[in-house]
Amino acid sequence: MLKIALPNKGRLSDEVRELFNDAGLEVRVRGERALTASLGGEFEAIFVRAQDIPEFVADGAAHAGVTGWDLVNESGRELELLMDLEFGRCRLVVAAREESGITSADGVKDGMRVASCFPRLTQEFFTKRGQQIVVVPVSGAAEIAPHLGIADIVVDLTSTGSTLKMNGLREVVTVLESSARLVACKNNDAEAARKLEELKQALGSVLAARGKRYLMANVPRKVLPQVRDVLPGLNGPTVVDIMNGGDYVAVHAVVPSKTIYRTINALKAIGCEGILVTRIERLMP
Ligand code: AMP
């Protein structure tokens, strides 16, 4: 059985489960508080705190795990990065009080106190810059520290910046860009590595499909050259004859979902009809 450590709660847990479910690794929990769950086939999930996942995986208690890149780096443990899962995007940033006058990393003076849930990364960041600060380790709500006089600045996670702003803090510089990652133990045997490669492909095919749609349209044969420009597809669009279709053929293509409205309008403008767009479950180019 291949053990995969997944976040038991918090920001990442729902999206991780959704991704695994979409990839056909349905998380079958036996109860709300279950610590493990079958993922079907040869995979088993172990639910732990996102912060503990790097340790679990590095120690070999799980073959692989999904957690934030920020937490992997903070752990300082050596792990194999298998893939970026593209959600849970956030930045670890240095932030200072609006009225502090600190607008860049150079504004941080030696001896300043820096509150953070990421003491290791904070220390490393300033040491590399040759700045001697004092780290104040906290286990949450670092943004309150400057207002309580516990610290001058903070190193905290943010995605939209709104929580920092709400707390009167200004983002000064980015320490690390983060997102959810699939990481593996460095000591996995060849059999585990092979199964993890299958897992990677299953998750990757779902992620690749998320930003794409499958589009079908009936196209006047004479505008086919123009359709090629509008619908490049993976290998150029597929063209299919329509029974009793007259001057029309059917064209199928995989297109980016972000620009789908533009694509539809462009197809209509050159006389295409019967346009149909569907979601794609998996994509393996
Ligand atoms: P939490 O559930 O708050 O313990 O956060 C777990 C992980 O979610 C963090 O370590 C980050 O990798 C990620 N995350 C994504 N967006 C944010 C955000 N805006 N603030 C904090 N963590 C975030």
Side-chain angles (χ1 to χ4, degrees), residues 35 110 176 181 197 243 254 260 275:
L35 302 177
D110 281 358
L176 180 82
R181 311 274 165 110
E197 189 53 37
M243 195 187 282
V254 174
I260 194 80
I275 299 169

Side-chain angles (χ1 to χ4, degrees), residues 7 9-13 15 49-51 67-72 87-91 118 156-161 163 178-181:
K9 54 184 176 190
R11 289 169 200 265
L12 300 177
S13 71
E15 279 190 270
R49 288 179 354 143
Q51 293 94 309
T67 192
W69 188 233
D70 49 297
L71 297 170
V72 172
F87 56 82
R89 283 201 186 284
C90 57
R91 284 165 295 122
F118 296 84
D156 203 1
L157 287 175
T158 182
S159 42
T160 59
T163 310
S178 181
S179 56
R181 311 274 165 110

Side-chain angles (χ1 to χ4, degrees), residues 150-190:
I150 299 167
D152 302 292
I153 55 173
V154 300
V155 168
D156 203 1
L157 287 175
T158 182
S159 42
T160 59
S162 59
T163 310
L164 291 177
K165 272 208 193 90
M166 223 166 61
N167 287 289
L169 298 173
R170 174 198 303 144
E171 222 178 290
V172 169
V173 62
T174 298
V175 174
L176 180 82
E177 304 261 358
S178 181
S179 56
R181 311 274 165 110
L182 176 68
V183 289
C185 177
K186 288 239 168 197
N187 303 324
N188 281 335
D189 59 24

Side-chain angles (χ1 to χ4, degrees), residues 64-85:
V66 173
T67 192
W69 188 233
D70 49 297
L71 297 170
V72 172
N73 280 278
E74 177 63 19
S75 77
R77 301 297 303 263
E78 280 229 7
L79 290 161
E80 189 185 348
L81 173 62
L82 294 185
M83 70 188 302
D84 185 343
L85 302 179

Side-chain angles (χ1 to χ4, degrees), residues 199-230:
L199 174 68
K200 206 175 125 178
Q201 280 181 16
L203 299 178
S205 67
V206 173
L207 293 175
R210 282 192 176 166
K212 302 270 197 287
R213 295 289 182 269
Y214 194 70
L215 182 143
M216 293 165 263
N218 293 340
V219 177
R221 209 178 280 273
K222 65 175 190 303
V223 302
L224 271 177
Q226 285 152 271
V227 166
R228 181 169 262 285
D229 297 334
V230 182

